[in-house]
Amino acid sequence: MIIIESKRKKPATILKKYPGAILADVTSQADTRLKELSPFYPHYDIPVPFSDGYTATCVEAIWQGLKVFEGCDVDVEMFKNDTMKNIKRTVRRFGKPLGHRKGVHGTELLGYIEARKHIYIPTYKWVLENKVAWIVEKLREASKTKTIVLLDYDTNADVENEKKPLSHASLIKAYVEETYPYENSEINEKVIKRDNIVELDLFNQ
């Protein structure tokens, strides 16, 4: 079984709710290879949707790079960011967001939810299948006999909820459980205990 919880919660609080669970931090701040599941992790060569010939370092670079504001269009330089920092493009700097361009040279602007469905979700799925499949398989096998708690800063699993960021941990859970949303969207174990936190040891492949 896989559960999503906030990384901001104390481990003891989570373990009290789910005794014996494996806590798996899947954020960019994780100190195991589970951080490779973060949308900010630079895997490189990730195809940019609707943009032949363009690739990016990470999922977030694509999401931010295709965003269009009143004062700024797409930013292809963002696709090269491999630092896991300074990837956000903000309203304060660029003005009101107008949507996400459907491809670097596209003429159509996608609304926030449509962009999730056609850009973010399929791009993250591509990463799960092509860059971190071995981690996903370990999670799948472990979840058959253990309760796995994926820790993420965001816990919203509702794709249609535009008021809260979508949890990438929820997409991991959905993929492992074969309920991944919008499958047809386009895009060209060892267990250890440390510091009273039980987690997956993914350093040993």
Side-chain angles (χ1 to χ4, degrees), residues 7 21 41 61 63 89 97 109 115 120 138-139 143 153 168 175 181:
K7 179 179 168 65
Y41 189 85
W63 180 250
R89 298 173 71 205
L109 285 183
Y120 190 90
K138 282 181 177 289
L139 288 172
S143 68
Y153 287 111
H168 74 277
Y175 189 82

Side-chain angles (χ1 to χ4, degrees), residues 92-195:
R92 183 175 181 180
R93 183 177 180 185
F94 298 109
K96 180 181 177 181
L98 303 179
H100 283 74
R101 194 164 294 287
K102 191 175 181 181
V104 172
H105 301 297
T107 58
E108 181 181 352
L109 285 183
L110 299 173
Y112 188 53
I113 299 303
E114 287 304 303
R116 265 186 191 172
K117 296 177 182 179
H118 296 289
I119 295 175
Y120 190 90
I121 290 173
T123 300
Y124 191 69
K125 181 185 178 185
W126 189 93
V127 169
L128 292 178
E129 294 180 338
N130 294 276
K131 298 294 185 177
V132 293
W134 68 273
I135 298 179
V136 172
E137 186 55 34
K138 282 181 177 289
L139 288 172
R140 179 177 286 116
E141 287 303 310
S143 68
K144 291 178 181 179
T145 57
K146 300 285 186 177
T147 296
I148 311 295
V149 178
L150 300 182
L151 303 179
D152 193 0
Y153 287 111
D154 299 300
T155 58
N156 171 42
D158 183 2
V159 176
E160 303 291 338
N161 184 351
E162 62 182 16
K163 295 182 179 180
K164 295 182 179 180
L166 182 64
S167 165
H168 74 277
S170 72
L171 295 180
I172 298 170
K173 171 181 167 66
Y175 189 82
V176 169
E177 297 176 349
E178 299 183 344
T179 59
Y180 201 83
Y182 307 101
E183 289 282 4
N184 296 321
S185 295
E186 296 178 38
I187 185 171
N188 234 9
E189 207 134 40
K190 176 182 176 184
V191 176
I192 64 174
K193 197 169 189 178
R194 185 183 65 215
D195 299 329

Side-chain angles (χ1 to χ4, degrees), residues 61-80:
I62 291 175
W63 180 250
Q64 295 293 333
L66 290 178
K67 192 180 292 186
V68 177
F69 299 84
E70 279 184 330
C72 189
D73 208 306
V74 300
D75 182 2
V76 296
E77 288 300 308
M78 183 63 69
F79 298 159
K80 302 175 184 178

Side-chain angles (χ1 to χ4, degrees), residues 36-95:
E36 293 179 30
L37 292 168
S38 167
F40 290 82
Y41 189 85
H43 289 288
Y44 299 95
D45 302 321
I46 302 171
V48 178
F50 312 107
S51 307
D52 289 346
Y54 286 89
T55 61
T57 55
C58 65
V59 175
E60 191 66 23
I62 291 175
W63 180 250
Q64 295 293 333
L66 290 178
K67 192 180 292 186
V68 177
F69 299 84
E70 279 184 330
C72 189
D73 208 306
V74 300
D75 182 2
V76 296
E77 288 300 308
M78 183 63 69
F79 298 159
K80 302 175 184 178
N81 190 316
D82 61 0
T83 65
M84 298 180 76
K85 300 177 181 179
N86 303 315
I87 298 180
K88 296 289 187 181
R89 298 173 71 205
T90 64
V91 172
R92 183 175 181 180
R93 183 177 180 185
F94 298 109

